[in-house]
Amino acid sequence: MSSESSFDIVSKMDMQELNNAITQAEREIETRFDFKGSKSSIKLEKEELIIVSDDDFKLESVLDILKSKMAKRGVPIKNLEYGKVESASAHTVRQKIKLKQGIEQDDSKKINILIRDSKLKVKSQIQGDQIRVTGKSRDDLQAVMALLRGADLKIELQFTNYR
């Protein structure tokens, strides 16, 4: 057994689960009475969601349905970056929602500072869009995980490659 243990901190969305959540949300929209005759739809194009509906109120309802389906399927809601609501053709409104994948540089620095300030005997280093945390004690690594779960960050974190 090696003397060093490590894990990676990543922020990714399971695109298959997101597709399933979108499908479930669309199915619910089709069957709900308050959406009868509505032009509401959800589309996934590369790294963004496009939500179209009749008015702002229905757009918010579609968003609520989508968020609930995403939460049930374990898709992180924090990784959505909402654009502004704009008017579209045929008297509809549209909102683009960008999907955040990976940890951005400034968030990585904040996480590194959090880990360093915790005074735990671990090392953390930024590797592209993820962070590797190494340490001799697995208890320290689990303490770092608990610290980051409790921290108020703008993105959802997952912990992978725990060795």
Side-chain angles (χ1 to χ4, degrees):
M1 186 168 161
S2 70
S3 62
E4 289 270 313
S5 297
S6 69
F7 69 90
D8 294 334
I9 303 169
V10 297
S11 180
K12 290 194 165 63
M13 277 192 165
D14 185 350
M15 296 308 275
Q16 184 60 50
E17 287 297 326
L18 180 63
N19 274 331
N20 292 341
I22 291 170
T23 305
Q24 284 182 338
E26 285 176 333
R27 222 177 282 139
E28 184 173 329
I29 289 167
E30 287 172 13
T31 59
R32 276 185 41 173
F33 180 75
D34 53 339
F35 284 103
K36 275 282 189 259
S38 163
K39 297 177 186 130
S40 301
S41 68
I42 306 169
K43 281 190 207 133
L44 176 64
E45 292 183 0
K46 294 181 185 165
E47 293 295 312
E48 71 179 7
L49 285 168
I50 299 172
I51 298 177
V52 178
S53 194
D54 296 337
D55 53 48
D56 291 339
F57 180 73
K58 281 196 175 142
L59 186 78
E60 284 299 316
S61 296
V62 170
L63 267 175
D64 288 342
I65 293 168
L66 179 63
K67 285 182 194 174
S68 71
K69 299 302 180 191
M70 287 173 67
K72 283 181 185 171
R73 301 201 69 86
V75 180
I77 296 172
K78 276 186 174 179
N79 289 12
L80 300 177
E81 192 175 291
Y82 301 96
K84 65 179 181 8
V85 177
E86 53 196 38
S87 56
S89 62
H91 305 293
T92 59
V93 291
R94 172 179 52 219
Q95 184 173 21
K96 292 184 179 182
I97 302 172
K98 191 175 161 218
L99 306 174
K100 291 194 257 181
Q101 298 270 30
I103 304 172
E104 292 179 5
Q105 208 63 31
D106 53 328
D107 291 330
S108 297
K109 290 176 184 173
K110 286 178 190 172
I111 292 169
N112 266 345
I113 290 170
L114 270 173
I115 294 170
R116 195 172 356 133
D117 291 348
S118 70
K119 303 288 191 238
L120 294 168
K121 293 184 178 175
V122 295
K123 287 181 242 144
S124 61
Q125 60 195 59
I126 300 171
Q127 297 178 334
D129 63 349
Q130 66 183 19
I131 300 170
R132 164 103 10 118
V133 180
T134 56
K136 291 192 186 302
S137 166
R138 287 185 172 224
D139 291 339
D140 286 345
L141 294 179
Q142 288 178 343
V144 168
M145 287 183 196
L147 169 82
L148 293 176
R149 280 189 191 108
D152 185 33
L153 298 170
K154 294 183 288 185
I155 55 172
E156 190 81 26
L157 300 176
Q158 293 92 29
F159 307 106
T160 60
N161 246 356
Y162 186 66
R163 297 183 186 143

